[in-house]
Amino acid sequence: MSENYKFDTLSLHAGHIPDKETGSRAVPIYQTTSYVFNSTEEAASLYNMEVGGHLYTRISNPTVAALEQRLAALEGGASALACSSGMAAMHLVISAICSSGDHIVASSKMYGANINLLQHTMPRFGVNTDFVNPNDPEAIKKAIKPNTKLVFGEVIGNPGLDIMDVPETAKICNSENIPLVLDATFNTPYLMQPFKHGANIIVHSLTKWLGGHGIAIGGAIVNGGNFDWGDKDKFPTISGPHFALGGISFWEEFGPSALIAKIRAEGMYNFGPSLSPTNAFHLMQGIETLPLRMKKHIENTHSILDFLVNHEMVKWVKHPDLETHPDHEVAKRILPKGSGSIVAFGIKGGREAGKLFIESVQLASHLANVGDAKTLLIHPGSTTHSHLSSEAMKEGGLTDDMIRLSVGLEDINDIKKDFERGFKAVKKLNK
Amino acid sequence: MIINFKGAKTYIGTGGKSLDNTKKTFCFLHGAGQNHLSFIQQARFFAYKGYSVVVPDMPAHGFSDGNPCKSIKENAEWINDLLVELKLKNVIITGHSQGCLVALELNKIFKYPLEAIIFVAGSNEIPVNQFLLDLSKENPQKASQMMVIWGHGIDGDMSINKWPGHSHYGEGNNIMCMNQPTALNCDLNSCNDYSDGKDATKKIKVPTLAVLAKNDQMTPLKSGLKFVELMENCETHILDCGHFIPSERPLELNSIINSFLSKLE
Ligand SMILES: Cc1ncc(COP(=O)(O)O)c(C=O)c1O
């Protein structure tokens, strides 16, 4: 991968140089739906994908493009496409590559909506998925069939924090000529750059740490450009003739950026999950401080892990940086800067204790998001999974005493004090 | 399209339109370690303007098999034979970098006069330093990465791109990685060894256009300006970018070529 400027510099600058006319230092928000053509020929050349440029904001926009080019630079990818949410990004990738009759191998330990899309929605369109343990490369290999079109996983799984052995999985995918698609939301390019480990496509929920302030929903696809789509029988949507544009073969005409070209020409045209320019601006503001924030997220996480592991009211603590985590060795190898700022822990006293803890803390916010600059908490047993029995939760790999913590950037002693308030309340209950 | 040429699978980009050898044909010649994807934003553009377009992947480059040509003259002979095979007569040659040297030699041997020659980031000589020659043999991937950095102006470093969402570095690296590993070293040696450029340039009798780059670190502007002086009436433009003009300044390049061609009509 070619890089001249370092990560911290690219986080601030990539994708934008002040223009000569206005000198605007910040990336301007091009709040427009469309762009005036200078001539009919120019319009035609954009429609025909003869040259790059903007014709309609559903397809591309200068502010959104600055964000995309920043992400491509940070990940070391050939090209990127930003869209309305992390889920939109995932659906765009799957629908670009797979058609009815195709098969996917995916991690069984992923974010609920990722699982739901593959397990329940895609089968209605004839695309079926086999789920396997993400840290068992052999199982992944065994699950691959002749009609498998991609392998999908989360680098750090949500919420179980399972770590996918990316280099080993990439080797398998490479030998089978199948792209490895990774949801890298929890690691961000600051903690780990999947293309350096052999992955081919990255999807991000920008909503989380990349945006980092809980103010805008967004998603992105970054295309490594390192996958050979040339097998027309296996990947007809990328290398075979497209239904429009004179039967263009994206692989022949755009090579490393074939996937993104395909997604712009089909997904963005026909489904239209575009990102608003204003949200692109907000997300880019977040990325400017990504390296600083991630450093502090990890520092605070390690400090709170120490606190929780040694706390009398805590039954168990789960984080890949702890030696007790089953994937600790993989985490050390592929995430040497730290394995993110989500922590799961069990509180003594079960479901009732979890509920009381959440209701007793003041600083940490009780909500359904992760990756905010502010500390966030949720107790699945009394919220997202409250309809399930303890046994049913266990089957899904969750326990009713579990609290999911997204460690923020506050003074960590204030967070510890806040937690003590919660633990005190639970202690009273347990008595 | 893919043809079997000289016993090897050979890919020829046609800009998304089928080849019509009764029309004027743009033939694009890629640079060292590159392939047809150097001209992404020229191939379709000129094909959709009514020209026939051929952008061959030289042997061992891009989607073409075979062994890489070992000299500029061998490259020119290969192209000459290909144009004959495709029955092309009215040919506008556009070379980028090494492709400009190949164009100089092709001009000497092609049996029909070329319609015009367009030199992009070109010169009559392209000396290559020993460090890069050695690195391209020992570690072509690393050599490619360095060329991608040197080859782009500030837009490379800053991830600025006229094509929304694309990265010059990420794309450039992967384009070079598509070639067979021996191709880059062969190309760089061919460039370095070529010494007939001055004579070949003086022999040109057809209209010429040169588009040079202010911040070109591969074929420096100084060398390009000396080169154009060797030709009579070579229309010359200097763009504010690095060596990879076709992807760094696609719209300006296409428009300069368009107006140059309209003056020839
Ligand atoms: C790992 C992971 N991927 C994807 C998503 C979906 O992101 P979005 O809400 O931006 O659609 C989430 C949301 O929580 C997530 O945690």
Side-chain angles (χ1 to χ4, degrees), chain B residues 19-78:
Chain B
L19 183 62
D20 176 353
N21 56 16
T22 62
K23 285 187 187 169
K24 251 187 211 168
T25 302
F26 254 100
C27 174
F28 290 92
L29 303 178
H30 63 73
Q34 306 295 314
N35 57 50
H36 73 281
L37 294 164
S38 300
F39 296 107
I40 291 177
Q41 297 184 74
Q42 285 71 44
R44 286 180 77 74
F45 183 86
F46 287 103
Y48 275 77
K49 300 287 165 288
Y51 293 96
S52 221
V53 167
V54 293
V55 202
D57 279 343
M58 299 303 288
H61 293 69
F63 301 140
S64 288
D65 291 343
N67 296 316
C69 298
K70 293 217 157 45
S71 66
I72 295 300
K73 284 184 205 288
E74 203 184 309
N75 272 291
E77 279 156 20
W78 188 91

Side-chain angles (χ1 to χ4, degrees), chain A residues 5 19 177 183 187 272 385:
Chain A
Y5 287 125
D19 67 86
N177 189 33
D183 182 327
N187 51 294
H385 294 68

Side-chain angles (χ1 to χ4, degrees), chain B residues 111-140:
Chain B
K111 65 177 169 181
Y112 306 102
L114 296 169
E115 296 278 323
I117 312 178
I118 298 163
F119 299 101
V120 181
S123 179
N124 54 305
E125 54 177 16
I126 306 182
V128 180
N129 68 52
Q130 195 58 44
F131 169 75
L132 187 58
L133 286 175
D134 293 342
L135 190 66
S136 67
K137 188 163 186 185
E138 287 151 24
N139 188 346

Side-chain angles (χ1 to χ4, degrees), chain A residues 1-2 15 50 69 252 257, chain B residues 36 49 145 158-159 171 173:
Chain A
M1 186 180 314
S2 290
E50 297 165 31
Q69 284 155 215
E252 286 182 22
S257 289
Chain B
H36 73 281
K49 300 287 165 288
Q145 288 169 1
M158 294 304 230
S159 198
E171 211 161 44
N173 272 327

Side-chain angles (χ1 to χ4, degrees), chain A residues 1-36:
Chain A
M1 186 180 314
S2 290
E3 53 185 21
N4 224 5
Y5 287 125
K6 299 287 180 273
F7 192 91
D8 294 14
T9 309
L10 293 173
S11 302
L12 289 158
H13 290 277
H16 176 66
I17 295 179
D19 67 86
K20 291 206 171 75
E21 277 157 47
T22 67
S24 171
R25 181 54 277 189
V27 179
I29 302 176
Y30 288 94
Q31 193 65 48
T32 183
T33 57
S34 24
Y35 310 84
V36 175

Side-chain angles (χ1 to χ4, degrees), chain A residues 167-378:
Chain A
E168 287 306 310
T169 310
K171 271 184 219 156
I172 291 164
C173 291
N174 194 20
S175 70
E176 302 281 340
N177 189 33
I178 295 169
L180 174 58
V181 186
L182 292 179
D183 182 327
T185 301
F186 275 40
N187 51 294
T188 80
Y190 176 81
L191 293 177
M192 190 262 220
Q193 292 163 306
F195 298 144
K196 287 190 178 159
H197 296 269
N200 306 106
I201 299 159
I202 294 168
V203 295
H204 278 297
S205 167
L206 304 175
T207 316
K208 311 295 176 343
W209 291 263
L210 276 157
H213 296 80
I215 55 170
I217 301 273
I221 301 153
V222 190
N223 178 17
N226 53 355
F227 187 76
D228 183 342
W229 300 99
D231 184 341
K232 283 196 171 96
D233 295 327
K234 194 163 177 178
F235 301 109
T237 56
I238 312 292
S239 51
H242 182 56
F243 54 79
L245 294 161
I248 189 173
S249 157
F250 294 105
W251 172 235
E252 286 182 22
E253 305 259 345
F254 303 118
S257 289
L259 177 73
I260 294 293
K262 164 74 182 179
I263 292 174
R264 268 194 220 281
E266 185 179 55
M268 299 311 274
Y269 252 94
N270 301 353
F271 319 144
S274 52
L275 180 65
S276 87
T278 301
N279 274 354
F281 174 82
H282 288 313
L283 294 165
M284 247 181 304
Q285 283 300 109
I287 293 174
E288 292 199 354
T289 56
L290 177 73
L292 287 173
R293 286 186 292 105
M294 290 310 286
K295 228 174 273 170
K296 181 89 193 284
H297 273 302
I298 295 291
E299 257 173 48
N300 275 0
T301 299
H302 288 167
S303 174
I304 204 89
L305 281 174
D306 239 18
F307 168 80
L308 291 173
V309 163
N310 295 308
H311 202 286
E312 53 161 350
M313 293 303 294
V314 175
K315 216 155 105 187
W316 55 269
V317 185
K318 199 170 176 187
H319 188 275
D321 290 345
L322 293 175
E323 279 175 17
T324 49
H325 192 280
D327 297 337
H328 179 62
E329 287 305 314
V330 188
K332 261 201 323 201
R333 179 158 44 88
I334 69 171
L335 293 151
K337 288 187 192 163
S339 336
S341 55
I342 297 295
V343 176
F345 65 95
I347 188 159
K348 282 183 186 162
R351 200 180 290 234
E352 275 310 302
K355 187 166 178 273
L356 186 60
F357 178 83
I358 293 271
E359 284 169 356
S360 307
V361 294
Q362 288 175 5
L363 200 52
S365 312
H366 178 204
L367 54 75
N369 190 25
V370 291
D372 197 323
K374 302 169 187 80
T375 293
L376 316 174
L377 282 172
I378 196 157

